[in-house]
Amino acid sequence: MPNLEEWIPNRKAKQIFAEIRRSGTVSKFDLLDLSGLTSSTLTRMLEELAASGWIEESGFGESSGGRRPLLYRLKQNRGYVFGLDVSRATTRLVLCDLQLEKLDSASWQMTEKMTPAHLLQEVVQAIRRMTDKHRLQPDRLLGVGIGAVGPVDRTKGVMLNPLYFRAEGWNEVPLGPQLERELGVPVLLDNGANTALLAEYWAGSQQYRHLLYVRAGIGLRSAMMSNGQLVYGAVDMEGSVGHMIIQTDGPPHPERPHVYGCLESFVSIPVLEKQAAARLKQGRRSVLAEWVERPEEIEYRHLLRALSADDRLVTELFTQAATYFGIGLSNLLNILHPEKVILGGPLITTNELFYQISTQVALKNTLYYPTYPVTFTRGKLSDEALAVGAAAMVVDRLTS
């Protein structure tokens, strides 16, 4: 099994490949400026990359007085990567080319029956089916990237002890080594927040030096990027944002009862569902009572439907959760000072109220605002960000 780092063996060629990938389409003249290489060395590297099929000529650029410059871009069909997003509600698989254009996809609902063994079988079958369908040759398949619910051990490719999975067995799962044995290609694993941020970076945020990504759904997940590189700590930091204490005498964490008043105790889909059920039991009026026989049957889809109907109780619950989320975001802004904050996940993408209130509260409580020009945005790739970013992780490794 070839190492990803060995596909492009020359260090200077890696540098040129990375610059062309970052620019999309770039002239030889611009590459001289970006790379700092001599003209003869750059020419040799371009010829080497073109001969091995990694790049191709793409016409001529605008003339600045002399001959029109020759343009280069990645050769999309030189390599293909699979990206896998292993999340609590839905797992997604995408097949992408070198420029992260999606060619195919599959998804599975994470029910009580979706154990790690069952999911692995489904994923392997889907990868083999897509490989046959698109007639991918072995020397074109670079590898598989996995963005999984943390915490994870990236070095060993293991999902450690994630919360909220409905099926049993989701502890100490060596997903990376298992897929490598089944498929015979390199497999990389990172937490899903990191891969989502990678996807959003390559989808049009390369001009920002400092990026923060926060995903709000069944739980809270975050990632940080500085100067185009993901920021890592001594342990996996994906779920740390949810354990930020914002009220010391607040409710216990849903899964860690010894932790009181953390952000995830106020902001998550399970918390909203439980709060709605509790209010119905207290006698609060809501259209929810017409849609379920028992308060415990309330699901997120019911809450969204009620929110669309301007239900007073549900609007109150979402407003409260968004306010707490905004407070958590302001704490992150005051510590990390990103230029851009990308928000994703079901709580962000499925309703406007939560996004607007949380970002307004965050800005109001941020030091140096409005002179600190932070930008908030929803993720461009929505639900597929984690899987596409997992594929991007494999392409990134080519030039590491």
Side-chain angles (χ1 to χ4, degrees):
M1 183 190 308
N3 290 326
L4 285 163
E5 296 88 344
E6 297 173 356
W7 283 93
I8 304 175
N10 187 292
R11 180 180 59 82
K12 293 178 180 178
K14 289 178 186 287
Q15 179 187 357
I16 297 305
F17 178 89
E19 293 291 358
I20 295 174
R21 181 186 176 210
R22 188 176 296 111
S23 301
T25 300
V26 61
S27 70
K28 183 178 178 181
F29 179 79
D30 288 334
L31 284 172
L32 279 171
D33 276 346
L34 292 168
S35 68
L37 299 176
T38 65
S39 180
S40 60
T41 300
L42 176 60
T43 298
R44 188 171 70 254
M45 294 301 100
L46 289 170
E47 290 175 350
E48 182 178 309
L49 288 168
S52 55
W54 292 109
I55 65 172
E56 62 183 358
E57 298 175 358
S58 61
F60 294 90
E62 294 295 325
S63 172
S64 58
R67 291 192 304 174
R68 296 171 63 193
L70 188 60
L71 301 177
Y72 293 90
R73 66 186 177 193
L74 298 190
K75 194 169 184 178
Q76 289 180 258
N77 63 359
R78 172 59 181 86
Y80 299 90
V81 289
F82 283 98
L84 179 66
D85 159 28
V86 181
S87 291
R88 301 171 177 108
T90 305
T91 285
R92 291 180 174 84
L93 175 73
V94 297
L95 170 62
C96 298
D97 62 22
L98 270 188
Q99 292 184 326
L100 301 180
E101 293 292 330
K102 187 182 72 172
L103 306 177
D104 212 333
S105 64
S107 64
W108 301 269
Q109 295 303 305
M110 299 298 284
T111 65
E112 295 88 346
K113 297 180 180 180
M114 194 62 78
T115 62
H118 188 182
L119 179 65
L120 180 68
Q121 181 182 33
E122 293 283 344
V123 169
V124 169
Q125 290 175 354
I127 288 177
R128 288 173 175 162
R129 184 169 59 250
M130 291 182 196
T131 300
D132 292 341
K133 174 183 174 182
H134 296 274
R135 300 179 180 178
L136 304 185
Q137 298 301 316
D139 64 344
R140 291 290 191 267
L141 183 54
L142 304 180
V144 179
I146 306 173
V149 176
V152 301
D153 185 325
R154 296 183 299 117
T155 304
K156 296 180 179 178
V158 176
M159 294 177 64
L160 297 176
N161 56 341
L163 301 177
Y164 304 122
F165 276 85
R166 298 172 68 183
E168 296 181 352
W170 286 96
N171 285 314
E172 301 292 333
V173 181
L175 203 54
Q178 288 176 345
L179 271 178
E180 278 195 350
R181 285 194 297 270
E182 290 284 346
L183 299 170
V185 297
V187 177
L188 306 178
L189 179 139
D190 203 339
N191 71 59
N194 281 344
T195 64
L197 181 50
L198 266 183
E200 296 294 347
Y201 173 76
W202 287 111
S205 293
Q206 296 101 310
Q207 71 271 31
Y208 293 94
R209 295 178 59 206
H210 307 294
L211 291 167
L212 173 66
Y213 175 84
V214 183
R215 183 177 180 85
I218 294 178
L220 299 178
R221 308 159 74 176
S222 67
M224 182 73 186
M225 181 178 282
S226 183
N227 291 321
Q229 300 295 319
L230 290 169
V231 176
Y232 291 100
V235 295
D236 190 19
M237 303 184 298
E238 181 197 44
S240 299
V241 61
H243 283 73
M244 179 193 306
I245 306 300
I246 59 173
Q247 184 177 323
T248 55
D249 61 345
H253 186 275
E255 298 291 335
R256 297 189 173 103
H258 64 286
V259 179
Y260 293 91
C262 65
L263 187 58
E264 206 166 86
S265 300
F266 297 94
V267 187
S268 72
I269 288 174
V271 166
L272 282 168
E273 292 169 343
K274 290 178 181 177
Q275 288 178 340
R279 299 299 189 278
L280 288 189
K281 291 177 181 177
Q282 292 169 353
R284 289 287 302 272
R285 292 183 178 180
S286 171
V287 293
L288 293 171
E290 303 171 10
W291 300 338
V292 296
E293 294 183 4
R294 297 182 301 113
E296 292 81 5
E297 296 175 354
I298 292 174
E299 298 178 359
Y300 187 57
R301 59 187 177 90
H302 298 128
L303 298 181
L304 291 179
R305 183 180 170 193
L307 190 64
S308 298
D310 294 325
D311 182 81
R312 183 174 180 179
L313 168 62
V314 174
T315 301
E316 176 185 306
L317 293 178
F318 271 84
T319 299
Q320 176 180 280
T323 300
Y324 279 117
F325 186 59
I327 292 170
L329 287 177
S330 67
N331 289 336
L332 292 174
L333 294 178
N334 289 330
I335 295 170
L336 301 173
H337 294 104
E339 296 170 278
K340 182 178 182 180
V341 180
I342 303 170
L343 300 177
L347 284 173
I348 299 296
T349 59
T350 55
N351 69 94
E352 184 70 19
L353 177 71
F354 191 94
Y355 176 77
Q356 292 297 334
I357 291 177
S358 62
T359 52
Q360 289 168 13
V361 170
L363 291 174
K364 181 180 178 181
N365 290 280
T366 297
L367 185 64
Y368 300 129
Y369 183 79
T371 56
Y372 166 37
V374 63
T375 299
F376 281 97
T377 182
R378 288 187 178 93
K380 287 185 176 182
L381 300 176
S382 190
D383 292 338
E384 290 190 334
L386 284 75
V388 173
M393 179 169 56
V394 179
V395 183
D396 282 357
R397 187 63 67 88
L398 292 173
T399 54
S400 65

